[in-house]
Amino acid sequence: MSERVSPAFGILLVDDEPAWLRSLAMTLERSAGLTHLITCDDPRRVLEILDGDDVGVVLLDLTMPHLSGEELLALIAADHPGVSVIVVSGMNQIETAVRCVKLGAFDYHVKTDEEDRLVAGVLRAVRMQELQRENLEMSSRLLAGAPQHPEAFSGIVTSDPTMRTLFSYIEAVARSPQPLLITGESGVGKELIARATHQLSGCRGALVAVNVAGVDDPVFADTLFGHVRGAFTGAEQPRRGVVEEAADGTLFLDEIGDLSIASQVKLLRFLQDGEYFPLGSDRPKRVKARVIVATHQDLTAKEKAGLFRRDLYYRLRTHRVRVPPLRERKGDVPLLLEHFLDEAARSLGKKKPTAPRQLAQLLAAHDFPGNVRELKAMVFDAVSVHKERVLSMDSFLDAIGLRRGAPAAAPAGEGEGEKNPFAGLERLPGFDESLELLIQEAMSRAGGNQTLAARLLGISQPALSKRLKSYRRG
């Protein structure tokens, strides 16, 4: 794969002085990592270049032979209104600057200004172009309704419309250099989304994943940025950090909500400047890597509580997706069940068992606090102990806590978030009344299947049938 240039669109530098063009190109590449540069020393060729190449930003000198910068600016605004034009003049004249802005210039700089100011202005224009293009891409993807590269999401088993919309969004932002924040409960498959994003990104480097939960600041800095020889006691050899390993690729930081404030500062500096210092070194390194972060925590609440830096939070949430929990996409349960039965059978060297017809109904009634990961564990456990052609439901009932002899639930007050179902009632329901309500709930959860409802209640199917007939007669 060819080396990826930055940004995805071209930056056209126009000046009749070749020496200035070379100097400006070197400055933008060295200071900002911008490599997709096109130079032109004849203003008469500019419109031809814009017609033939994908150019997003133009840096335009004002004083040039054959065609002045102001004349060219007006032509660009008329024929290519989506291009951001930055005027770079040798004169510091307010009237000229105002006139250029009225003609459609994005910004105005003087050649004698500090180099950093011009670089910052170019980066602002690049960022604006990227946002505009990403918005257009997202609109077209979402209107299309289906991902254009479904193979990138082949590892995610789903038919849920919300997940399909999420896939379209990921396709739209995959090539963006800005960070992506993935939120969702534990076990929903956030890393699978990160891997799909990397696959669609066009990055030629690798995806490097790091779980930062419980990592203290020195270990975090060493893990991310590495160290030089002699940086600390025992550092006998230099060590590359994961940032360098992810060069031209993707750096995936999982459980970012657990990062300490000190480590957040280091990460923010890297995201802002693209530079970092290995431990023990005073020479900065520059690496381009797409950053994807994930967390099961509420970063908005953590930021308001002062546990997560606001500047880092807003830097990370430029693009963000929430992966819905399994209880919000119950239609995926049968698909996932079949998928994990196949996977478990292959992994354990067994023939794939047949799932009982009632199993999908039983699982659909479960909330799955552990999400897809919990379902996978259930299936692997059941397949590992099964011996007959039809898969036993016993291990699933044990896991959900519905089989006779299963461990009793903790007494009220011992479990977290437990509620008293009788709180607020003026009178307790009678035994017969409670039993009828319980049977109605079991039948509702079982989708009207008496065999499954009987299993949920821990009684025989004939006993349940007898009860139902008595209620109908009554």
Side-chain angles (χ1 to χ4, degrees):
M1 190 181 293
S2 60
E3 184 172 353
R4 192 184 185 197
V5 291
S6 177
F9 50 83
I11 301 175
L12 177 60
L13 315 180
V14 186
D15 197 297
D16 62 315
E17 299 179 19
W20 166 253
L21 286 177
R22 287 194 297 272
S23 173
L24 180 57
M26 289 176 60
T27 297
L28 293 175
E29 185 170 354
R30 183 187 68 249
S31 301
L34 301 174
T35 56
H36 197 169
L37 305 173
I38 306 166
T39 58
C40 175
D41 58 8
D42 185 346
R44 293 171 295 184
R45 292 185 54 242
V46 168
L47 293 179
E48 177 188 344
I49 293 173
L50 293 179
D51 288 335
D53 292 333
D54 180 18
V55 174
V57 178
V58 175
L59 273 73
L60 181 64
D61 183 32
L62 274 187
T63 309
M64 295 182 291
H66 309 300
L67 193 62
S68 73
E70 286 191 48
E71 292 174 312
L72 191 51
L73 174 60
L75 292 173
I76 294 173
D79 294 347
H80 300 275
V83 174
S84 300
V85 180
I86 298 176
V87 174
V88 185
S89 172
M91 301 174 292
N92 186 5
Q93 297 179 343
I94 295 177
E95 296 85 356
T96 304
V98 171
R99 210 162 47 241
C100 288
V101 171
K102 287 183 177 180
L103 286 171
F106 177 82
D107 207 347
Y108 184 98
H109 287 274
V110 180
K111 288 184 177 180
T112 55
D113 282 348
E114 293 181 5
E115 181 180 283
D116 290 347
R117 292 184 62 186
L118 177 57
V119 171
V122 174
L123 288 175
R124 280 196 301 272
V126 167
R127 179 68 187 121
M128 183 64 70
Q129 278 288 322
E130 288 174 341
L131 286 173
Q132 290 173 350
R133 290 170 180 237
E134 286 162 13
N135 286 337
L136 288 173
E137 181 74 7
M138 274 188 278
S139 297
S140 63
R141 298 278 186 181
L142 294 176
L143 287 173
Q148 297 180 12
H149 299 281
E151 68 279 0
F153 305 97
S154 59
I156 305 172
V157 179
T158 184
S159 62
D160 185 75
T162 302
M163 292 294 289
R164 295 292 178 184
T165 301
L166 186 152
F167 293 167
S168 296
Y169 179 86
I170 290 297
E171 279 191 331
V173 303
R175 289 183 173 270
S176 170
Q178 299 303 313
L180 169 66
L181 171 63
I182 306 172
T183 61
E185 297 176 7
S186 295
V188 294
K190 296 188 288 294
E191 185 167 351
L192 293 176
I193 297 295
R195 293 189 179 280
T197 306
H198 172 70
Q199 185 176 337
L200 293 165
S201 69
C203 295
R204 64 187 181 93
L207 170 71
V208 181
V210 182
N211 190 316
V212 299
V215 176
D216 61 21
D217 185 57
V219 173
F220 174 80
D222 189 26
T223 301
L224 249 67
F225 308 130
H227 62 255
V228 298
R229 182 179 179 182
F232 49 83
T233 304
E236 298 178 357
Q237 297 294 333
R239 175 181 177 274
R240 295 199 322 166
V242 293
V243 166
E244 194 169 349
E245 292 177 5
D248 297 318
T250 301
L251 177 62
F252 175 50
L253 302 178
D254 201 4
E255 301 300 349
I256 195 71
D258 293 324
L259 205 59
S260 69
I261 294 293
S263 296
Q264 291 174 30
V265 173
K266 293 180 173 65
L267 178 59
L268 176 63
R269 188 178 300 126
F270 170 66
L271 291 174
Q272 286 178 331
D273 304 329
E275 290 184 346
Y276 67 95
F277 290 85
L279 291 180
S281 173
D282 57 359
R283 306 177 89 179
K285 286 189 173 184
R286 176 176 287 275
V287 165
K288 274 196 172 294
R290 173 72 181 277
V291 176
I292 300 177
V293 300
T295 181
H296 69 280
Q297 300 192 39
D298 184 346
L299 288 191
T300 304
K302 293 202 71 169
E303 181 270 319
K304 289 179 179 177
L307 300 174
F308 203 88
R309 288 181 62 97
R310 176 174 297 180
D311 44 9
L312 177 60
Y313 173 55
Y314 285 105
R315 173 75 64 170
L316 291 176
R317 58 169 284 175
T318 304
H319 306 303
R320 58 191 185 277
V321 292
R322 172 187 174 268
V323 185
L326 188 53
R327 64 180 173 275
E328 292 182 10
R329 47 188 180 105
K330 287 292 183 68
D332 285 342
V333 171
L335 298 175
L336 288 164
L337 176 60
E338 286 299 314
H339 173 75
F340 289 138
L341 283 173
D342 275 327
E343 188 178 326
R346 286 196 307 271
S347 174
L348 298 170
K350 293 187 172 187
K351 185 178 179 180
K352 179 185 174 183
T354 301
R357 185 168 49 88
Q358 306 96 327
L359 180 56
Q361 293 175 309
L362 171 70
L363 296 175
H366 182 51
D367 273 348
F368 285 103
N371 292 293
V372 179
R373 186 182 297 143
E374 180 185 357
L375 176 57
K376 180 178 180 179
M378 283 184 185
V379 174
F380 269 70
D381 181 51
V383 173
S384 67
V385 298
H386 107 96
K387 296 177 182 177
E388 307 296 332
R389 185 179 65 84
V390 178
L391 189 66
S392 170
M393 291 180 57
D394 288 346
S395 64
F396 292 96
L397 291 167
D398 283 341
I400 298 174
L402 294 175
R403 194 155 71 105
R404 287 181 182 179
E414 292 185 14
E416 184 179 347
E418 291 183 348
K419 296 180 181 178
N420 181 358
F422 302 113
L425 294 180
E426 294 183 2
R427 69 173 184 86
L428 291 176
F431 178 80
D432 289 337
E433 185 182 359
S434 299
L435 185 57
E436 184 176 356
L437 292 172
L438 185 61
I439 289 174
Q440 289 175 0
E441 177 65 19
M443 288 294 291
S444 174
R445 292 193 182 193
N449 186 299
Q450 289 189 24
T451 302
L452 180 55
R455 281 182 174 268
L456 294 175
L457 293 168
I459 63 177
S460 67
Q461 191 272 332
L464 175 60
S465 180
K466 185 178 178 180
R467 283 281 180 181
L468 289 171
K469 288 178 182 177
S470 69
Y471 292 146
R472 293 189 191 108
R473 286 196 301 267

